[in-house]
Amino acid sequence: VDKMKALRVVCVTILVLGIAVAGYALEKRNAKITSLNGPTEVKRAGQAVWSPASNGMVLGEGDALKTAEGSWALVNIDNGKIAMVELKGGSQMSIAELAGDPKSDTSKTLLDLAIGEVLIKAQKVHGESSKFEVKTPTSIVGVRGTTFNVKVEAVKE
């Protein structure tokens, strides 16, 4: 009976460690603010309040970033291996998707630009399943690796 109990404890421990390691492997993708100039705020996923952003802050899926007029922020996705994003002044962008599978070396990145302008230097994506996209209120732009600019202006009535 004690051997069965010990075996059960070992199996549960291995299962928990396996889940933890698998979760850790998927956490390797990140977006990090590498430089700021002027007032910039961040809103964490699931929160309603904006707070000041800071250099070195790590952003995750669902987080949003906005810059005041005349400000800008640089965000590196996966330490610049996927892309470098410059959020220009008066802009608001959220990280809609930041998924990856280390086993197949694929990644899916979706940035949602609500208003303003971004300059993106995207690296060549790995594999056919990898995607890098920018969503705006009127379109979705997908790239395989290039430098490009996306701008969303407010509708003037």
Side-chain angles (χ1 to χ4, degrees):
V1 175
D2 287 334
K3 287 182 182 180
M4 284 298 281
K5 199 178 237 183
L7 181 61
R8 192 174 301 147
V9 168
V10 168
C11 288
V12 168
T13 303
I14 289 171
L15 179 64
V16 169
L17 285 174
I19 291 170
V21 168
Y24 178 75
L26 294 177
E27 290 296 318
K28 288 183 179 179
R29 299 227 41 227
N30 67 59
K32 185 176 184 179
I33 299 171
T34 56
S35 188
L36 293 172
N37 181 26
T40 303
E41 294 179 310
V42 66
K43 182 168 64 170
R44 296 294 185 177
Q47 294 184 356
V49 181
W50 290 91
S51 58
S54 61
N55 241 349
M57 184 178 275
V58 176
L59 305 173
E61 195 171 277
D63 289 347
L65 193 63
K66 72 176 176 180
T67 54
E69 287 295 331
S71 300
W72 53 262
L74 288 179
V75 178
N76 278 348
I77 299 176
D78 293 342
N79 297 318
K81 293 178 185 170
I82 297 295
M84 186 178 78
V85 178
E86 180 181 351
L87 189 64
K88 307 270 184 167
S91 301
Q92 182 176 327
M93 174 189 78
S94 64
I95 300 169
E97 186 174 9
L98 197 60
D101 182 2
K103 291 179 185 171
S104 62
D105 195 28
T106 60
S107 63
K108 293 182 181 176
T109 307
L110 175 61
L111 304 178
D112 188 348
L113 182 64
I115 189 87
E117 184 176 1
V118 290
L119 174 64
I120 298 173
K121 295 177 184 170
Q123 302 301 320
K124 186 168 176 58
V125 293
H126 300 285
E128 290 297 315
S129 300
S130 292
K131 291 183 180 178
F132 187 97
E133 298 174 323
V134 178
K135 179 183 173 195
T136 71
T138 58
S139 65
I140 295 180
V141 178
V143 296
R144 305 293 296 167
T146 189
T147 298
F148 67 103
N149 197 54
V150 179
K151 188 172 187 175
V152 175
E153 295 180 348
V155 177
K156 295 178 183 173
E157 297 180 18

